[in-house]
Amino acid sequence: MSTPEKQPDVGSVIARIERKWALLMSAIVLVLVAIVVFTGLHQAMMPPSRVETVQPETLNRSGEFIESNLGSVSEPDGSVTVRIVAQQYSFTPQCILVPANVPVTFRATSADAIHGMLITGTNINSMIEPGYVSTFHTTFKQPAEHLMPCHEFCGTGHQGMWAHVKVIDKQAFDELERRSGGRRLNCAR
Ligand code: CUA
């Protein structure tokens, strides 16, 4: 005959289990905070500074965002700048052309309501507000086509507001630019 095992005290069992769960929860919270810090600092997924202002009423008459200046252009330092205007319910240009493996700066503003712009497969995701210039930088690793939908509800035509981003070889881009006679590039048909 064996003696019955001593039953552990129920209170201490519960305390042990609760401690385990508390440790697990703390670990999950720490991992989430670490992810936020890592993506914020390392991948530069920070809200674009909206400190640059622009007159939305006169976008099409003067300044950086006149129609002939919209699209892609090479800068003297070898990077490419893309200027975009969002309006109900389209982007100008509708098809954005950029080279692969070249630093690209997007400068976008709105002519009317608050719009959004995200480029699928990248970390570009920003609001575009009238009166402000949204600026963000990226480098596309390889030729590809990306969709660029408006992701802020901007009116009845919102769901139909989107553009394309076409990434092509740098040589092809340079060749198109040579033949463009100084005009800004895009791939709108
Ligand atoms: Cu523009 Cu939604």
Side-chain angles (χ1 to χ4, degrees), residues 89-158:
Y89 296 100
S90 63
F91 293 97
T92 307
Q94 272 293 102
C95 185
I96 292 155
L97 192 69
V98 289
N101 295 307
V102 170
V104 176
T105 299
F106 288 89
R107 292 175 59 76
T109 190
S110 167
D112 40 45
I114 295 177
H115 297 276
M117 141 171 193
L118 80 82
I119 302 180
T120 54
T122 73
N123 66 354
I124 290 178
N125 183 332
S126 174
M127 284 178 28
I128 303 181
E129 295 158 272
Y132 294 92
V133 180
S134 299
T135 304
F136 25 90
H137 310 277
T138 196
T139 300
F140 294 93
K141 296 273 182 288
Q142 58 207 16
E145 299 224 9
H146 302 269
L147 288 179
M148 193 182 101
C150 173
H151 63 67
E152 287 287 337
F153 182 76
C154 52
T156 52
H158 161 70

